Amino acid sequence: MLIKKPVNINGANMKLVVDPEATLSDVLRGQLHLTGTKVSCGKAQCGACNVIVDGKVVFACATKMNRVPDDAVITTVEGIGTPTNMHALQLAFVKHGAAQCGFCTPGFIVSGKALLDQNLNPTREEVRDWFQKHKNVCRCTGYKPIVDAVMDAAKLVRGEISVEDLSFKMPEDGKIWGTDYPRPTAVGKTTGTIDYGGDLGIKMPPGTLFLKLVQSQVSHANILSINTSEAQQMPGVYKVVTHKDIQGKNRITGLITFPTNKGDGWDRPILCDEKVFQFGDAIAIVCADTEEHAQAAAEKVNVELEVLPAYMSAPEAMEPDAIEIHPGTPNVYYRQGIVKGEDTAPLMEQADVVVAAEDLYVGRQPHLPLEPDVALAYYDDKGNVQIMSKSIGLELHALMIGPGLGLEAGKNLFLSQFPGVGGTFGYKFSPTIEALVGAATMATGKPCFLNFNYYQQITYTGKRSPFFMDLKYGATKEGKLVAMESNWAVDHGPYSEFGDLLTLRGAQFIGAGYAIDNIRGAGYTVATNHAWGSAFRAYGSPQSFFASETLMDMLAEKLDVDPLELRYLNAYRPGDTLPSGQEPEVYTIPQLIDMIRPKYEAALQEAKSCSTPEKKRGVGVSIGVYGCGLDGPDGAEAWAELLPDGRVQVSTNWEDHGQGADMGLLATSHEALRSMGIDPRRIKLVMNDMNLAPAGGPAGGSRSQFVVGNAVVRSCEKLVQALKKGDGTYMTYDEATATGIPTKYVGQWSTATADATACDADTGQGKPFASYMYGVFLAEVEVDTKTGKVRVVKMTLAADVGRIANKTVIDGQMYGGIAQGVGLALTEDFEDLKRHTDMLHCGIPYIKDIPDDIEVMYLETARDLGPHGASGVGELPLTAPHAAIGNAIYNACGVRIKQLPALPAKVLAGLQGRDIPTVTRPIKDPVMA
Amino acid sequence: MLIKKPVNINGANMKLVVDPEATLSDVLRGQLHLTGTKVSCGKAQCGACNVIVDGKVVFACATKMNRVPDDAVITTVEGIGTPTNMHALQLAFVKHGAAQCGFCTPGFIVSGKALLDQNLNPTREEVRDWFQKHKNVCRCTGYKPIVDAVMDAAKLVRGEISVEDLSFKMPEDGKIWGTDYPRPTAVGKTTGTIDYGGDLGIKMPPGTLFLKLVQSQVSHANILSINTSEAQQMPGVYKVVTHKDIQGKNRITGLITFPTNKGDGWDRPILCDEKVFQFGDAIAIVCADTEEHAQAAAEKVNVELEVLPAYMSAPEAMEPDAIEIHPGTPNVYYRQGIVKGEDTAPLMEQADVVVAAEDLYVGRQPHLPLEPDVALAYYDDKGNVQIMSKSIGLELHALMIGPGLGLEAGKNLFLSQFPGVGGTFGYKFSPTIEALVGAATMATGKPCFLNFNYYQQITYTGKRSPFFMDLKYGATKEGKLVAMESNWAVDHGPYSEFGDLLTLRGAQFIGAGYAIDNIRGAGYTVATNHAWGSAFRAYGSPQSFFASETLMDMLAEKLDVDPLELRYLNAYRPGDTLPSGQEPEVYTIPQLIDMIRPKYEAALQEAKSCSTPEKKRGVGVSIGVYGCGLDGPDGAEAWAELLPDGRVQVSTNWEDHGQGADMGLLATSHEALRSMGIDPRRIKLVMNDMNLAPAGGPAGGSRSQFVVGNAVVRSCEKLVQALKKGDGTYMTYDEATATGIPTKYVGQWSTATADATACDADTGQGKPFASYMYGVFLAEVEVDTKTGKVRVVKMTLAADVGRIANKTVIDGQMYGGIAQGVGLALTEDFEDLKRHTDMLHCGIPYIKDIPDDIEVMYLETARDLGPHGASGVGELPLTAPHAAIGNAIYNACGVRIKQLPALPAKVLAGLQGRDIPTVTRPIKDPVMA
């Protein structure tokens, strides 16, 4: 049953034939392939699909075609500007780095266009109100660069500035390192022309199969039978794939399991065979000619289950009577100890002051990237399986899923990224649906495409693992820390990959930033039936710092000293070491505190003067530290090659999830090649495809700029050296080939150069990272004493991330990380499987939830080992901002939130003197059967 | 087996996943839905698919993806300009009416862009050379407006003219009638944003089935069996539809069969059941999820045939021993007599001069629209079958196919046109594949889409029916015609629809233009197994005039008088009648000859001075006349309605095939509404959809401007009259509704107003048309005496088509019709089923085959009955230009070509005194069993 719908889209008159029940986004994307309009939440919560219909901003994902008026005039991002004819908004978004992953960008551009159409002189607050009204959500930028861009676009349209003012001006020295050179993908992102996975899937060749999953609706069960016969007969169905069709081990492996881990790491099925371990687990894949047919058939797959008790938190799974989730492996399957310096028990006894908390907790923060998970697979012309996805660890993931599929990474299995990756924030450090599309392609021989909806994104992919933490400090009466005792249990969900590593992070970062010579404690990795744990920006450190930075504030209070000065007193000075015993590569925390001190003092003043009984203002601080790289030895490779046309091709898999890998690679390689006088536009980047580029290693742990960057510099320097002639000029391609000089150079680098070593499982001691990032956070909040609702008024960060590769990109990382910290502090959680299944109810911050006033100050301490002096970047801003916010809440109203998020109900309970609802229980001495 | 292909398309970097064997057009259109790039010939013959790859113009239809270089920079029409940001070429194409049907336009724009990129100062000849080199074919415009547009675009880019110079300037009186107002669809056509059938098919909702046909490979056979079981099991196949699935009579009817026709008109199957009647007949339809799957399965349908003798021309089918193609109906199934004035036998005896030819023949001219045939069908939300196609007779076709499908036109069967229709030139006056998609949708319940390739376009659709003609004139020694005897046989192929009507055209137009009081003769409609006859621009008259205008030249030679003056002598003056006995509504041929005489005399001089033994120049003239409308009573309906927003909506089915129905309707209604002071942009046209607009009748026979235009004027005049207030101003919508004045008015008009009557079958006498068009053609040619190749140097036309509705549109009709006349004269034919199956081998004229010098002079004689004084337009320029060319060839080199096309081999044979190959034999007194 179809209808005809006459519309004008981007100036073109069309008579479309549509299903009246289809959404406008279905039609724009699926029928017209106008894929600039993105679909994210799918339920009018996020504005990614915003288009203009008859002058009004509407959610294309929630507008059925029978509600689109005949002859409606519709504008999508493609109609606002094109790569060769960009609109002021697009130019300004490029200028301000307002597109990071870029997935929300078309929605913002469209929404912004509608705003400027009706108000060409908006104030910043009007811009923020507008995006709030139209629910435009950005998860990367912290919103500030977007508001900056709209303000500048308005100026350009008003004629107050010129296009040149929004364009990059090449400095006279030709150096783009450290400038605001726009990232290469910015034009594609602002014009909606870069293809994300869902876009490329739509644009696949005919015959591509569309997949839908049959997923578990319970959290723990034995599978008795899977009956696909009815589904197999449904229209358009090619095949229903189950575990029986999988040619390998049907398990995804985390590759390395610490030797003392009681599991073997082969616990995560591609398709469930004997058991279901968590809600959303994949049981079967329907491959059909359309998504609609696949979905209809998926509903006809009959799965018989024997439901088992589900353990939805670490404490539950640690109960002595809990059954083993993976039979044969105890639920508490790994212990990470920390033993530094002297025994702490006597020190605690002797300490002037002891402060402790047994109920510290950070929740299951959902990543909430705007782009839902997506992947496709096909056989290439050599018969190899090619998988495209949002993977931020191509070689790693090929190795992790290869055995399960019966394929060999780099031999007959190749991974690559989609051109656009709409944010991962770490969840794609683990493979998610790669193995599913691979299995489907192997079972059908056909190209296969699987695009999650947002419900699936939330319920299927990994989450930040909750930490249940006990912590105790002993200190002198002056406040000098003398001992720390820490215990933490990690709810890692049912799958063990990287769970031991995450647990180690507690040893590395609880108390980091401070000289603490004596530490004792242990962390435990616990299997549960709640969401499996995956990496999340600042991996393990937000939990760790929430404990140690909250307790630091409690100590300051107990000592009645200023919390910033207490931190200053304890911050690393030369000779001090990290909890791992490693010496920091630079000792800049005191300088960072010096930088922030005037802001802090002004903030205290302002809080005092602005506080009212209804709206109490408060100020809090925290310190954050994070290492750059994988633990211990961590390497990368890059190639630099002179092309016949004189361009230089730089190749490496420096995966991008919106953080700016393209800009990082360009800035790093250009600076290394600059002596040749090359224009950055003459550098060709070949990235993120196992078929084309060498391994850079996964793009996580703030390692890429540092580790991959070093490999890039090596390759470029070799090229420069090889081509340099006696007179200081450089050989052309023809000269080089004529004289037999190779034109391609391999650069490799490893943290082994810096004697990096893994940490010991019992003691946590080692030299895990070759470089670190340091930051001091300052939060200013306002607590509504009637509702308990907390508003963050301003965030300030003094950061040392080494030399800055690109100011715009790094600013964007800082703003975005801080915004995620605001969410982590106040709203974000994935706990309730019924309620926490969309963006809104997971607590994603909208623009008005994030302060427009975010200030980042840099201390550019060059790192000797870093490429052009750089360290890492991306994790720092999410290490500890939430802790500063928690401390500010206490400072404002005296309510100590020890379990995040600090929901209004909790704050209000504290304000009213009631018990604050808790999820924790002490986790000392767990049973490790 | 797919490959990854990095490319930049229209400024956007993409990494596509493609089949290496797929063509670039497959990818651009099928994967990216960049449907501005059209596919026509599919074999690099026509340039419709031209795109720029790395600075070079390439045929996207013939470029496989494995030949597209990595990182290729590709520009399609979408990248050159958009509706809101048009390129100079697009503006100039709009200005010059260089886009008629618009299907070739993107290819020309792209090709032109590449030209201007490398030569911003091209001469006209350089422009023509460029389009010749890149094989850009246009079938509508005669190329001249395209060259005009490119020249102006270059001026704009050079800055010599402004955008305003290329824009329409509204006259002070606000009158657009008679101006060069650009047609409403011009922007969509020049930007590639208007959807043609193949584009809309690609953009259908998911679940749409793609169809492929099983077609006969022989011309005449009995069907023994059709086995679909293997095909039904092929991947992606939903259903294989055969005649058994068709719920109605499985026959397409021409509705009206003349009473003396020996057939019943129910001879054309939707899907062949008992017999195959011609090569290409449809036997089964495979409905699958992709075109590729449908095609693969179509090859597995097993059809058993008993091959019968095939009669491939009228004379063969007229042989006494020929079996009946439709058993029970003689192959010669209709006789149309002409009996006017006295018996001609004695007059011939007495005539001073008699001239005769028994071997006149005009071949099976193929229409060669750029767009191959295409249709889709679906069930709408009311359960009705909706069919979209290139139909130029919506209500007519619904009536013609309804009984065959078991549906009722306007009740549960509705037809509409695609937004863009890429030329028909009359072939779509008959339904073609409408019933096939309808049958498929009824058999599957699904939306169904069928897109022909060009081979199918040529072999499946109807053609101009060849006429085999004998003709004799008797005249006085002064040259005054006293008698004419004519006999003609029409090879109508196997299907009878309109065949009797076409045969009548011989009676109406052989000898038309001249006062011939006494005529005897007869025409015969003959069933054959060659291509079925469908309407073609100037329907029946090009054959008729070729006979009478060739013989007129032979008479002039015999009398040794100037051929133009002989025509002047015999041309209609008041009191004279057409062969039908009808009085012309105006007597303007002598004036037209007066207009053209100076050109003629100059041409003779020039021919004389330019002729060389190698390149002989010659001049020829001819007269053309055609009636506007269907024979006898012919009506139309239109609605005019004041909308709440003050716009006026004008509705009627005035089908467009590129001729400019949009402009005709706008100009006609605007002129009728002009007293209200309405801006043309405030008139909303609702056209070409049985669901929305009233019947205008088919868009053929130059009837629309005249017949539909009259209905439009009536409806608008009623509206104007109703809304006019006492003070001379007009009511608003609110005023009208408040005072109970209706806002919608129905206008109807019929030629019955002018006492039109059908012609008699025995005598050919009647008053078939209410208005005519008149023209005098002047051809100047050059014959290469070494090769026999003829080059048309110039064409001139003096035309009376009444008042001109839109100068640009009507110029375009004239140029295009003349160009088709050049093709008809020299190259075009569909005879050899093996060779004549593509555009090139069917003899389509390329730009260098058509003179750049085409001059059209108008005598604007207002028609009393015409809307705003207009008559018809479109058929006139193809009535007789080929006859003038034939006469010019004779004038140049003394070779009389009596059988078209005048291929070089024929001319050379004549030049060398050899027999010219012939296809004819006398057709007098055929057997009509």
Side-chain angles (χ1 to χ4, degrees), chain A residues 236-466:
Chain A
V237 172
Y238 277 68
K239 186 166 179 65
V240 182
V241 179
T242 69
H243 65 90
K244 291 180 185 160
D245 299 296
I246 292 186
Q247 298 170 30
K249 295 180 67 160
N250 189 32
R251 288 291 180 280
I252 294 170
T253 166
L255 293 182
I256 297 161
T257 299
F258 288 6
T260 53
N261 192 316
K262 291 185 187 292
D264 63 2
W266 292 93
D267 45 45
R268 184 174 161 211
I270 297 172
L271 286 172
C272 293
D273 35 36
E274 296 179 353
K275 282 191 76 173
V276 156
F277 298 106
Q278 71 161 56
F279 185 90
D281 265 353
I283 299 169
I285 311 168
V286 180
C287 311
D289 60 348
T290 68
E291 288 197 334
E292 294 75 9
H293 285 146
Q295 187 57 50
E299 287 156 21
K300 302 293 183 188
V301 174
N302 200 343
V303 183
E304 255 189 302
L305 295 174
E306 176 197 8
V307 176
L308 300 172
Y311 306 110
M312 301 306 281
S313 74
E316 288 175 50
M318 294 164 89
E319 291 287 345
D321 64 345
I323 64 168
E324 286 175 348
I325 291 172
H326 293 283
T329 302
N331 290 346
V332 183
Y333 56 88
Y334 179 72
R335 176 188 185 277
Q336 173 64 54
I338 177 149
V339 178
K340 182 184 178 188
E342 297 171 33
D343 187 11
T344 54
L347 294 170
M348 290 293 181
E349 290 285 328
Q350 299 153 19
D352 296 337
V353 194
V354 170
V355 62
E358 289 200 333
D359 48 359
L360 296 158
Y361 174 81
V362 174
R364 195 175 287 100
Q365 189 183 20
H367 301 72
L368 304 176
L370 267 281
E371 181 190 35
D373 212 33
V374 59
L376 62 82
Y378 60 92
Y379 279 106
D380 71 12
D381 51 347
K382 298 178 197 72
N384 299 324
V385 173
Q386 295 281 348
I387 296 177
M388 298 182 78
S389 74
K390 298 176 68 178
S391 169
I392 56 168
L394 297 173
E395 294 84 4
L396 173 69
H397 293 176
L399 291 166
M400 289 172 73
I401 67 173
L405 292 170
L407 296 174
E408 197 174 341
K411 287 279 196 302
N412 54 6
L413 172 63
F414 294 82
L415 267 62
S416 57
Q417 278 201 308
F418 290 117
V421 172
T424 91
F425 314 113
Y427 91 87
K428 285 300 304 181
F429 201 95
S430 285
T432 52
I433 59 178
E434 283 84 354
L436 296 176
V437 293
T441 283
M442 292 175 75
T444 61
K446 296 269 190 182
C448 288
F449 170 59
L450 175 56
N451 198 10
F452 272 179
N453 61 29
Y454 213 84
Y455 177 86
Q456 290 174 303
Q457 165 64 32
I458 291 179
T459 56
Y460 184 87
T461 65
K463 298 286 166 287
R464 188 186 294 286
S465 295

Side-chain angles (χ1 to χ4, degrees), chain A residues 202-254:
Chain A
I202 284 174
K203 297 171 187 172
M204 283 289 282
T208 297
L209 299 180
F210 295 86
L211 313 186
K212 288 288 181 184
L213 300 186
V214 178
Q215 291 178 275
S216 172
Q217 302 297 309
V218 302
S219 295
H220 198 190
N222 289 318
I223 296 175
L224 305 179
S225 69
I226 305 171
N227 186 339
T228 64
S229 55
E230 187 182 353
Q232 193 71 55
Q233 297 308 313
M234 293 283 286
V237 172
Y238 277 68
K239 186 166 179 65
V240 182
V241 179
T242 69
H243 65 90
K244 291 180 185 160
D245 299 296
I246 292 186
Q247 298 170 30
K249 295 180 67 160
N250 189 32
R251 288 291 180 280
I252 294 170
T253 166

